Amino acid sequence: MKETRVTGTVLLAATTCVCMKHARGQLLTIDVGEREYRTEDIDDVLGSYVGGRAVGTKLAYDRIPFDADPFGPENRLYLATGPFQHSTMSFTGRMSATGLSPLTDGLLSSNAGGFLSRNFTATGYGAVEVTGASDELLIVHITDEGVEFEEVPDLEGATVSETCEYVETERGLEDDHTVTIGPAGENHVRFAAIMTSRERAFGRGGLGAVLGSKHVKAITFDGDSAHEVEIPPLQMDVHREAAQSDHIMRRQGTAAMTEFANTVEALPTHYFSELSFEGAEGISGDRVEEKKYKKGTCSACAFACKLPTRDEESGLETEGPEYETVMAFGSNSGIDDIVDVMQSNKLCDELGMDTISAGDAVAAYLAAEDEFGNSELIHETVEKIAYREGVGDTLAEGVDRFHDDLGVENWTVKGLEFPAHDGRTLNGQGLAFATSNRGADHMYAEFYSLEYPLVDADQALDKEGLEGKPPKVVEKEDLNVIKDSAVLCKFSRDFVGEERLETLLDADYDDLLEIGARVVAMERHFNNQRGFDREDDSLPYDLDGFDDALSEYYDARGWNEDGTIPDDLIEADVSTAD
Ligand code: SF4
C-alpha cells in the first residue's frame, strides 16, 4: 500500500554528486509481512551520500514515519556497505545498520566488523531495507538472484551459535554470510544486538530488537555480483603500513586502554561512582593478551586488532573482551578477574546483547543490591535479561526506563547507557556524549582520541575544559559520518588522515564534511519531531562551561538555541513512502 506524506527535507541535501567514489547497486526492499521484495534505483542517494550510514540515514529519514513505533511494522531497518567494501584495503571490514531505536526512541546507526561486509557487497545491492512484520519466525535469504523466505519455528529461542550452525548445515553458508538475533532480540530486550560472524555485533541501540519485532531470526547474504568501484592505489600503502605497524592494539585490541584510562581516571567504576578501579590490573590488556590464542581480524584488515581468547582452565572461548566490555562487566561491576568478564562477553554474544548497555544495566542492579563483584549473580542476571525472567524483565528495558524503580542514578544520554572514556575527566568527550544524536556513544564523535595522547602526544588536547572544543566536536561528528559511510574503521586514524581520505574517495574534505553535517542534521530533525531538544543534550554530571559550550555547538551547526533545526533549514517536501 502506498501512502503520500509530507516530510521535512534538510535544505542542504545535495542533488549533485560531490563524491566520486560511492557504493553501487539498487535498493532491495523486503516486506517480511507480505513476503514480497522489490528493487529500485537509488543512484541519486548513493551519489550524494557515499554509502553505509549516510545512505541508511537518508532512506530512513525519508521513509520511516516520524511517529513510528520502534517495534511496529512501520519501522524499517537498513543495512549498507560503502565504496571501500569494493577494495582490499585494511580497516574496511565493517558495515552499517540504521533504524529507529527502541532504546533511545530516535534514529540511530550502528556499525559492526567481521566478515559480512564483503558477502553483503557480493549480492550486488547498494542497500537492503527490511520492513513489515512476519507472523512466523523467518530466515530471509538474500542472493544476487532474489529473496527467499524460510519459516523457522524450531529456531525460536535459539542462541546465535545455534542459528549459525543451522544455516551452516542447511544452507552451507558460514557465519560470515549471516546476521542473526539471539533470544534477547526475540524478547524485545531494548539493547538487543544484531550479531554477525557469531561474535561481532551491531551493538548499540537495540536494532536486534527491531529485527525481533519483525520476527526475523536471521538474514543471509550470498552472491557473486559485486559492482566495480575502483579505489586508488593508495589503498596498498594503507594496507602495507597496517601490516607493519607495531601498535599495541595489534596485540591487545582496545583492551590496551584499560590501565591507561585507569591511570588518568577515565575508567567508570562501581556503577559510575568512581573513576578508577583498584582491580584494574586483573582486567587489563595484559590479561586479555595472555588469553589470546590466535590472530583475529575483520575482512581484508591487516591491522588485525581482534582477540580470540581462551581460558585453558575452564575451556571458555570468546572474542575479546574489548575495552568497553572490560569497563561495563569489569570495573563498573566491581569484577577484577578477566575470565569473569570473558564469561559475560560470551553470554552477551550468544544471547545477542550489546555488552555496554547490558553491563551497565547489570552494574546498576549490583549497585541497588550492594553486590558489586558477585560474578555468579552477574552471569545469572545476564541470562535473565535475555529471557526477561524475574528482575531481568525490568533490566531489559534499559537504565533510563528502570533507574527510578531500582533507586539508582540514570547514567544514560537519550536513553543510551554510557561507555568508558569518562567525560568527567575527558571534558570534550563529555560534551560529545551530550550532543550525539545516538546518545552516550563514544564512537559518534570519538572525541576521546583527541584528549588522550593516542594519536600524537604533542597534539593531544588538554583533557580539562571545553574552551575551543565545540567546533572540533562538530568536525569529528561530521567526519565520522563519512567513515561510517565509506565504510572505514575508526581505528584507521593513524593511517588514513584528511589527505588520504580525499584521495581514496576522490572528493574534497570540506565537501565530505558537508555530507556529514547533512546526515547529523537529518538525524537531529527526525529526533526533533519525536520531541528531542536541548534538554536531551544533557549529562548526569556538571561540567564547567557546559551550557555555553552547548550553545556554541548549536551555533557552529546553525541550529536553534533549543537544539532544534531552524525552519529555514527545512523545506516542505512531498515524498512517497510504501
Ligand atoms: S582495525 Fe580492528 S576493528 Fe578495525 S577493521 Fe581492522 S580488525 Fe576490524
Side-chain angles (χ1 to χ4, degrees):
M1 187 182 79
K2 293 214 176 225
E3 68 181 54
T4 300
R5 67 187 177 90
V6 176
T7 63
T9 299
V10 178
L11 267 180
L12 288 173
T15 51
T16 54
C17 172
V18 296
C19 180
M20 297 305 291
K21 304 297 179 189
H22 55 79
R24 305 272 175 186
Q26 291 185 306
L27 172 68
L28 172 66
T29 296
I30 303 167
D31 185 329
V32 293
E34 298 297 327
R35 309 236 180 137
E36 289 175 349
Y37 67 95
R38 66 181 181 282
T39 57
E40 66 187 283
D41 289 336
I42 52 166
D43 292 347
D44 54 339
V45 177
L46 295 175
S48 300
Y49 290 93
V50 188
R53 172 180 161 198
V55 165
T57 303
K58 171 63 178 162
L59 294 170
Y61 178 84
D62 284 346
R63 294 166 182 237
I64 299 175
F66 290 142
D67 62 353
D69 175 355
F71 290 135
E74 67 274 24
N75 194 3
R76 296 171 184 232
L77 180 77
Y78 296 88
L79 295 161
T81 52
F84 289 166
Q85 282 59 57
H86 297 262
S87 77
T88 55
M89 188 171 80
S90 288
F91 307 107
T92 62
R94 304 191 70 90
M95 58 181 289
S96 181
T98 301
L100 177 57
S101 164
L103 187 63
T104 70
D105 207 39
L107 201 57
L108 173 146
S109 293
S110 193
N111 186 285
F115 297 85
L116 177 71
S117 59
R118 263 63 186 187
N119 290 322
F120 179 98
T121 302
T123 62
Y125 301 112
V128 168
E129 175 184 63
V130 183
T131 188
S134 169
D135 293 336
E136 303 289 339
L137 196 64
L138 291 179
I139 294 182
V140 179
H141 299 285
I142 299 174
T143 69
D144 42 8
E145 292 176 359
V147 176
E148 185 189 333
F149 300 92
E150 179 188 4
E151 291 187 4
V152 287
D154 292 348
L155 287 182
E156 192 179 323
T159 64
V160 169
S161 279
E162 286 166 351
T163 305
C164 289
E165 271 163 34
Y166 173 85
V167 173
E168 283 163 7
T169 306
E170 299 298 320
R171 294 276 162 166
L173 291 174
E174 298 294 316
D175 58 14
D176 54 359
H177 289 259
T178 308
V179 295
T180 185
I181 60 169
E186 286 183 66
N187 293 326
H188 298 188
V189 173
R190 287 184 187 270
F191 41 83
I194 299 174
M195 304 299 296
T196 178
S197 301
R198 278 183 167 82
E199 289 107 354
R200 309 297 172 82
F202 296 89
R204 306 245 62 194
L207 296 181
V210 174
L211 264 193
S213 70
K214 298 186 179 307
H215 288 141
V216 174
K217 183 69 177 170
I219 308 174
T220 68
F221 301 86
D222 193 30
D224 192 19
S225 300
H227 295 264
E228 287 284 314
V229 179
E230 204 177 311
I231 303 297
L234 173 62
Q235 62 165 304
M236 298 314 297
D237 295 343
V238 174
H239 204 60
R240 190 178 56 253
E241 290 165 24
Q244 292 170 352
S245 169
D246 62 358
H247 199 292
I248 191 170
M249 279 183 66
R250 300 199 67 204
R251 290 191 285 112
Q252 300 189 350
T254 53
M257 287 300 305
T258 309
E259 285 206 276
F260 180 62
N262 194 47
T263 307
V264 300
E265 301 205 317
L267 180 65
T269 296
H270 296 134
Y271 192 58
F272 303 100
S273 64
E274 297 162 66
L275 290 168
S276 62
F277 182 46
E278 62 180 18
E281 197 273 332
I283 53 172
S284 65
D286 287 343
R287 298 292 82 76
V288 176
E289 190 179 357
E290 283 168 9
K291 301 293 182 191
K292 186 175 173 180
Y293 67 97
K294 63 176 180 180
K295 272 192 165 233
T297 191
C298 303
S299 59
C301 187
F303 193 67
C305 76
K306 307 314 286 184
L307 303 160
T309 48
R310 178 194 294 146
D311 176 50
E312 297 296 347
E313 202 177 319
S314 61
L316 170 68
E317 282 187 10
T318 187
E319 186 170 89
E322 300 285 352
Y323 170 54
E324 301 301 334
T325 314
V326 165
M327 179 283 295
F329 280 109
S331 57
N332 221 21
S333 295
I335 291 293
D336 60 6
D337 183 341
I338 197 64
V339 178
D340 287 333
V341 183
M342 285 168 63
Q343 177 66 17
S344 299
N345 190 60
K346 174 93 177 173
L347 284 170
C348 285
D349 287 350
E350 283 293 346
L351 300 169
M353 290 191 286
D354 174 30
T355 57
I356 301 175
S357 289
D360 285 354
V362 169
Y365 178 54
L366 299 176
E369 297 292 307
D370 196 16
E371 285 283 357
F372 286 121
N374 185 340
S375 59
E376 206 176 311
L377 179 63
I378 291 171
H379 300 148
E380 205 180 278
T381 305
V382 170
E383 297 214 40
K384 283 184 177 168
I385 293 173
Y387 294 102
R388 282 189 174 268
E389 288 171 1
V391 72
D393 191 34
T394 302
L395 302 185
E397 290 295 295
V399 168
D400 185 43
R401 289 173 173 81
F402 75 62
H403 72 279
D404 275 342
D405 291 347
L406 263 63
V408 296
E409 287 180 41
N410 183 5
W411 277 89
T412 66
V413 173
K414 302 180 180 74
L416 191 73
E417 288 78 9
F418 273 87
H421 313 293
D422 202 290
R424 288 167 289 182
T425 296
L426 307 167
N427 294 168
Q429 179 60 65
L431 175 66
F433 283 140
T435 59
S436 159
N437 287 324
R438 197 186 293 159
D441 182 82
H442 58 300
M443 300 310 272
Y444 193 85
E446 196 213 347
F447 205 79
Y448 67 91
S449 67
L450 299 183
E451 293 182 308
Y452 288 132
L454 284 175
V455 179
D456 182 339
D458 295 334
Q459 290 181 9
L461 300 175
D462 188 347
K463 298 190 291 297
E464 280 183 52
L466 292 170
E467 202 180 327
K469 292 181 181 176
K472 288 186 167 61
V473 171
V474 169
E475 181 177 346
K476 283 286 281 172
E477 288 181 345
D478 295 348
L479 176 60
N480 280 355
V481 171
I482 298 305
K483 290 183 179 177
D484 289 341
S485 306
V487 177
L488 183 67
C489 178
K490 312 287 192 330
F491 302 145
S492 65
R493 55 193 165 220
D494 292 358
F495 303 86
V496 183
E498 189 178 316
E499 273 181 40
R500 282 187 163 183
L501 196 60
E502 286 184 318
T503 305
L504 287 164
L505 287 174
D506 196 9
D508 183 79
Y509 185 69
D510 288 337
D511 287 341
L512 292 173
L513 291 185
E514 194 186 306
I515 295 170
R518 283 205 307 277
V519 170
V520 171
M522 269 188 272
E523 293 170 344
R524 173 64 56 146
H525 186 247
F526 189 101
N527 292 353
N528 288 156
Q529 309 313 303
R530 296 178 70 81
F532 286 73
D533 59 20
R534 185 181 184 119
E535 272 184 35
D536 298 286
D537 293 342
S538 61
L539 296 164
Y541 46 84
D542 293 327
L543 289 180
D544 272 354
F546 177 78
D547 272 345
D548 288 345
L550 190 56
S551 294
E552 197 184 333
Y553 169 89
Y554 295 150
D555 193 47
R557 287 217 171 276
W559 295 354
N560 296 322
E561 262 289 288
D562 65 356
T564 60
I565 303 286
D567 288 343
D568 63 2
L569 282 184
I570 308 297
E571 179 185 58
D573 174 35
V574 177
S575 69
T576 303
D578 297 319

